Amino acid sequence: MPVDALINAVPQVQNLADVKGVQALQIASESITDKELLSLARQVNDLVKKPEVTGIVITHGTDTMEETAYFLNLVIHTDKPIVLVGSMRPGTALSADGPLNLYSAVALAASPEAKGQGVMVYMNDDIYSARDVTKRINIHTNAFGSQWGALGMVVEGKP
């Protein structure tokens, strides 16, 4: 789904921050190769250099989200929050989790408390460190976890 369609599907994110979309990639996450990872890292590095950018949210398929997050954590050097977010249920599901996950990821990236925390993964109310998160199960919205636990939570748009 194009990034602008995702943003437009959750207009409430504009109440949290001045959100602008950049279409970095548009492929299935299991198709991401080193080439795409390097391209994404270059784009993120260019964005974090801009003074008007205070945080970045990257929507990502869950199949390889943990690998992308770990890679970005190794190669992006900034104190600006970078948050990867996805969904376990499609937008057509009765209880789609994508819109709330996106809203909360924007709230996290816009939060002063997220500054200096490195790359994070946000899913299903929980905030994880990119270096520790793993996808543990693929049939529940709480698919992601860490042996060390979550860094925190986002509750009603507040990290």
Side-chain angles (χ1 to χ4, degrees):
M1 181 175 271
V3 68
D4 287 335
L6 293 172
I7 294 169
N8 292 336
V10 189
Q12 298 87 340
V13 298
Q14 297 297 344
N15 298 331
L16 300 169
D18 183 17
V19 177
K20 304 279 190 266
V22 174
Q23 190 71 51
L25 300 170
Q26 193 171 358
I27 62 173
S29 69
E30 66 269 12
S31 299
I32 292 176
T33 67
D34 294 348
K35 177 184 169 190
E36 285 82 21
L37 286 174
L38 289 169
S39 172
L40 180 61
R42 285 186 192 103
Q43 291 178 66
V44 171
N45 266 319
D46 289 344
L47 286 170
V48 297
K49 291 176 186 171
K50 296 180 179 186
E52 67 272 17
V53 173
T54 57
I56 294 176
V57 173
I58 300 169
T59 59
H60 200 290
T62 62
D63 285 345
T64 60
M65 183 164 33
E66 65 201 275
E67 289 87 353
T68 299
Y70 186 75
F71 175 75
L72 293 176
N73 195 60
L74 293 174
V75 300
I76 306 294
H77 303 288
T78 183
D79 65 346
K80 294 179 180 181
I82 300 170
V83 181
L84 278 79
V85 65
S87 66
M88 293 303 298
R89 295 180 179 145
T92 56
L94 284 175
S95 57
D97 57 328
L100 182 57
N101 282 350
L102 179 59
Y103 178 84
S104 296
V106 171
L108 176 58
S111 170
E113 291 84 6
K115 189 174 182 179
Q117 298 299 315
V119 177
M120 296 168 278
V121 170
Y122 176 83
M123 289 286 293
N124 194 43
D125 297 332
D126 291 323
I127 306 162
Y128 296 102
S129 166
R131 70 175 182 266
D132 300 322
V133 69
T134 59
K135 186 175 180 183
R136 297 177 167 185
I137 189 167
N138 64 358
I139 58 172
H140 294 286
T141 55
N142 63 342
F144 286 80
S146 166
Q147 65 180 348
W148 310 114
L151 294 176
M153 297 175 62
V154 177
V155 178
E156 296 181 7
K158 303 211 183 322

